[in-house]
Amino acid sequence: YIQDIVVTSLGHIYAATRGYYCNTGGILKSTNGGVAWTNVLGSGSGSCTGYFDYIGSDIEIAANGDLYCTTGLMGSAANSYSRIFKSAASLGTSQGNSGQWTNITPTPPSGDAGFRRIELACAPSDNQFLYALCQNYNGSDLRSIYKSVNGGSSWTTVTLPTWCDQGSISTDLTRGQAWYDLSLAVDPNNPNVVVVGGVDLFKSANGGNTWTQLSHWYGGFGFQEVHADQHYAYFEPGNSSVCFSQTTEVFTVLQTLLLLVLF
């Protein structure tokens, strides 16, 4: 599986992959347009010690070219917890190579041993500003939202959104599906404006201190209808007024169209 793929200003391609076997997958890099790939983080050892070894989950590029990625996804054993890594643009052509990644994972909440899935987003207008959505290490809910204003050198927690889920108030916007529906996007002109998605969509205009529910999956309780299960969010470059959201319904329509084309 290919969970994410990015291309840097040097033309280097990075793919976050989930291998079928425990000695495949991880973060892969190509410097020749995909003709050849090198494993640069996770996997490759054949040690089969946990999900960390063969799952790359997310890759993001900061405005200054710094690379961030997450590894791990579903495992709850100590060697399978998700992690956040950074490789600085200042490394030049060595950026992203094996051994050129620094673990910058936030400290888990008191009593927690780690995280499962972690979703990242960098602020286009501030290369030091990023957010991380972290799944509970022993469950499927969204456990924490972190923010860094110094490129991941330190992290602070921000408030979890409370939302109207069929008339009940909840602080888990994924309804126990953080492994499945989790999205995050930062306004291109303001690092304190962020949109997150789980079952429904939410927005903060003050760096995560407070949140506003934007949608409801069937349009109930006075909210605009947007289909359930948010998988990807993306602001139009430079435009604070347009944010795209990709839902399960979109995936289904695209799959149907693809089948029509193929058959």
Side-chain angles (χ1 to χ4, degrees):
Y1 304 86
I2 300 183
Q3 307 292 115
D4 200 3
I5 188 165
V6 299
V7 183
T8 69
S9 61
L10 295 175
H12 296 169
I13 309 170
Y14 293 85
T17 69
R18 176 181 178 182
Y20 187 79
Y21 298 105
C22 60
N23 60 346
T24 60
I27 304 298
L28 306 182
K29 177 181 179 179
S30 176
T31 60
N32 57 9
V35 175
W37 294 87
T38 302
N39 178 279
V40 293
L41 187 64
S43 185
S45 65
S47 60
C48 302
T49 56
Y51 278 85
F52 166 64
D53 286 331
Y54 66 108
I55 288 183
S57 183
D58 191 12
I59 311 176
E60 301 293 337
I61 306 176
N64 64 349
D66 289 343
L67 276 174
Y68 296 90
C69 73
T70 66
T71 61
L73 184 62
M74 295 294 289
S76 58
N79 51 19
S80 9
Y81 296 146
S82 293
R83 299 164 173 85
I84 304 176
F85 290 91
K86 177 180 180 179
S87 189
S90 59
L91 292 168
T93 56
S94 296
Q95 182 189 29
N97 287 348
S98 180
Q100 301 299 318
W101 295 87
T102 301
N103 187 342
I104 60 168
T105 311
T107 302
S110 177
D112 287 6
F115 305 104
R116 289 196 185 184
R117 178 183 177 184
I118 301 177
E119 183 74 12
L120 295 176
C122 299
S125 61
D126 188 332
N127 57 48
Q128 296 297 298
F129 216 111
L130 62 153
Y131 293 85
L133 306 180
C134 299
Q135 179 185 346
N136 195 340
Y137 83 103
N138 64 354
S140 297
D141 56 301
L142 177 63
R143 181 69 168 93
S144 307
I145 301 178
Y146 290 88
K147 176 174 67 177
S148 177
V149 298
N150 54 16
S153 295
S154 62
W155 299 86
T156 57
T157 56
V158 302
T159 305
L160 288 171
T162 55
W163 67 302
C164 177
D165 181 14
Q166 301 186 84
S168 300
I169 300 300
S170 170
T171 57
D172 176 24
L173 58 88
T174 70
R175 198 191 292 147
Q177 298 181 145
W179 56 273
Y180 175 65
D181 49 16
L182 205 58
S183 65
L184 179 61
V186 186
D187 186 295
N189 301 300
N190 187 341
N192 286 301
V193 176
V194 58
V195 172
V196 301
V199 174
D200 296 322
L201 289 164
F202 306 81
K203 177 182 178 180
S204 175
N206 53 17
N209 291 325
T210 58
W211 297 89
T212 300
Q213 185 166 343
L214 299 178
S215 67
H216 187 270
W217 61 279
Y218 61 78
F221 310 99
F223 295 105
Q224 178 181 343
E225 179 181 356
V226 175
H227 195 277
D229 301 331
Q230 311 301 318
H231 297 290
Y232 188 70
Y234 181 71
F235 274 91
E236 184 176 290
N239 189 348
S240 300
S241 300
V242 178
C243 185
F244 298 92
S245 176
Q246 189 172 23
T247 73
T248 300
E249 185 177 53
V250 175
F251 281 136
T252 303
V253 171
L254 288 175
Q255 184 182 40
T256 303
L257 290 175
L258 180 60
L259 289 172
L260 289 173
V261 171
L262 292 177
F263 300 101

